[in-house]
Amino acid sequence: MKRRLLRVLWGLAGVLLVIFGVFFYAWQIEPSLLHTVQYEVKTSHAVPVKIAFFTDTHFGKDDTPDRLARIVEEINAQKPNMVLFGGDFFDSYWRDASQIDVNLIAEKLRAIEAPYKYAVWGNHDIGGGAVRVYEQLMEAGGFTLLKNETAEIGELSVRVVGMDDWMLGEPDNVLRVSDDNYTNIFLTHEPDDAPLFAENGADLILAGHTHGGQIFVPFFGQKFLPPGGRHYVKGQYDIDGVPLVVSCGIGTTKLPARFLNIPEICVLTLSDQ
């Protein structure tokens, strides 16, 4: 009887230890990790182009300048021709404004070494109270903020189409771009409108918003996905022949934890077919 009770107690202790380990990893370790994910994209128009795409940083009161400096360092190590940001720079600016040094953040963003830098709005940038600072911050950091606008880079044969936020912006006027000698990159925060972008001339679609579910629990992943990000969660998809890349992003929201969704920077190399 005693042996059986000891086995039960040891088994229970083992289960509790595993649970503690998972929680410790999800709260203390994985959110602080950062890796790059490489994608090869074949297009019919592109000269060789390397793009660094990052999104969903969700900076807030608990962040230190070192975290952004690490992101900048990782991007610069890739030596990209272009850097794109997919929105949700801040988590809740109205809550954390007094503890955020916007000038220091702009200084760090300026240290990103790329000839072309573009960004779009995310729902947290609008709904979290950053409307009054986000555009100025990105411009001070060397980024052009696109809102249902296009930017053509002739020397790279690339056109960036920046869409407004699907949830809180005005994304209804989907821009149709021509199938000319440019590679048309649609940059959007939420991924679920990807089929619409594919119909309107996209050669490549980049999105974030989902955090990959942020905390992945088998069989329950759908419950952690936000509106606008429930059909395409993370990784690469084929949308009627058009590649869609959904990044699981870098930061966290609601809970300061990640599980099986390591923060990432996507590096895409465009080349001729």
Side-chain angles (χ1 to χ4, degrees):
M1 185 68 178
K2 284 185 177 181
R3 288 183 179 179
R4 183 179 299 175
L5 179 60
L6 283 173
R7 284 198 296 267
V8 171
L9 291 175
W10 277 112
L12 181 59
V15 169
L16 292 175
L17 185 62
V18 169
I19 292 173
F20 173 81
V22 168
F23 273 79
F24 182 81
Y25 172 81
W27 260 260
Q28 299 297 324
I29 296 178
E30 186 165 304
S32 65
L33 301 178
L34 182 65
H35 72 154
T36 59
V37 182
Q38 303 282 341
Y39 293 93
E40 298 285 336
V41 180
K42 302 295 184 181
T43 76
S44 58
H45 307 309
V47 298
V49 176
K50 181 181 279 190
I51 298 170
F53 170 53
F54 72 116
T55 185
D56 295 273
T57 47
H58 286 270
F59 284 110
K61 58 183 175 59
D62 296 324
D63 285 298
T64 66
D66 290 342
R67 187 160 81 97
L68 181 54
R70 186 180 174 198
I71 295 168
V72 171
E73 181 179 357
E74 188 65 33
I75 290 174
N76 287 344
Q78 303 302 317
K79 301 187 184 304
N81 304 98
M82 179 185 301
V83 176
L84 302 177
F85 178 69
D88 277 5
F89 193 89
F90 296 110
D91 188 49
S92 178
Y93 186 78
W94 66 265
R95 180 192 65 203
D96 302 330
S98 63
Q99 300 175 67
I100 292 175
D101 188 335
V102 175
N103 293 326
L104 180 59
I105 290 174
E107 179 183 332
K108 298 293 184 183
L109 289 175
R110 283 197 299 273
I112 293 177
E113 299 169 355
Y116 305 100
K117 301 190 287 189
Y118 298 96
V120 292
W121 291 85
N123 58 296
H124 279 256
D125 301 315
I126 300 172
V131 173
R132 62 186 186 274
V133 299
Y134 179 59
E135 184 170 6
Q136 295 90 331
L137 168 67
M138 297 311 289
E139 290 181 351
F143 282 78
T144 298
L145 188 60
L146 300 174
K147 184 176 180 179
N148 295 334
E149 299 171 287
T150 64
E152 294 183 355
I153 302 96
E155 66 173 312
L156 301 180
S157 298
V158 166
R159 178 185 291 115
V160 180
V161 183
M163 299 304 304
D164 198 5
D165 179 65
W166 176 84
M167 292 180 67
L168 300 177
E170 299 176 349
D172 295 336
N173 297 322
V174 176
L175 302 176
R176 177 162 186 83
V177 291
S178 59
D179 183 15
D180 49 21
N181 291 324
Y182 284 85
T183 295
N184 296 311
I185 303 172
F186 274 64
L187 178 61
T188 182
H189 185 61
E190 293 89 354
D192 280 358
D193 270 344
L196 184 59
F197 303 146
E199 293 174 2
N200 282 273
D203 297 303
L204 170 64
I205 306 165
L206 302 178
H209 182 57
T210 66
H211 301 198
Q214 189 168 305
I215 298 174
F216 177 75
V217 179
F219 310 111
F220 292 95
Q222 190 74 11
K223 295 184 181 299
F224 295 91
L225 295 173
R230 291 176 176 164
H231 296 295
Y232 310 103
V233 181
K234 65 177 177 180
Q236 184 168 349
Y237 300 83
D238 184 284
I239 310 295
D240 298 324
V242 178
L244 161 67
V245 172
V246 182
S247 172
C248 69
I250 292 176
T252 62
T253 190
K254 295 184 179 178
L255 291 174
R258 277 179 172 260
F259 186 64
L260 302 183
N261 282 299
I262 295 174
E264 67 183 22
I265 296 168
C266 297
V267 178
L268 303 99
T269 302
L270 278 56
S271 60
D272 290 333
Q273 291 180 339

